[in-house]
Amino acid sequence: MIERRRKIAIAGVAAALLLALAARHPQANIEILTHQQGDLSPGKVEAAIDVGVFAVSVLVTWSRHFSQ
């Protein structure tokens, strides 16, 4: 009886792990776009942090040349 419970518990843990691996982990994307629309080569800084439980991605752009 104890052996059966152990097998059921192991199968449950394995199913939970498969479900956790199959699901997309939450992520946050933050974009700050301050470049001019016609600028073909804006300055850009990108960063990403992924710790397994959550992910954060940051993109900041700016124009190198300002037309007046």
Side-chain angles (χ1 to χ4, degrees):
M1 192 66 147
I2 293 175
E3 188 65 31
R4 181 173 182 238
R5 286 185 183 176
R6 180 179 291 165
K7 287 182 182 180
I8 291 172
I10 290 173
V13 169
L17 286 174
L18 285 175
L19 182 63
L21 290 175
R24 271 188 84 188
H25 61 281
Q27 63 183 26
N29 293 326
I30 301 169
E31 294 186 14
I32 301 173
L33 304 176
T34 59
H35 67 278
Q36 294 177 348
Q37 189 173 7
D39 192 356
L40 297 177
S41 59
K44 179 168 61 172
V45 173
E46 294 182 63
I49 300 172
D50 187 355
V51 295
V53 178
F54 67 91
V56 176
S57 152
V58 178
L59 168 65
V60 178
T61 63
W62 64 93
S63 286
R64 293 177 187 256
H65 305 288
F66 292 103
S67 62
Q68 296 178 353

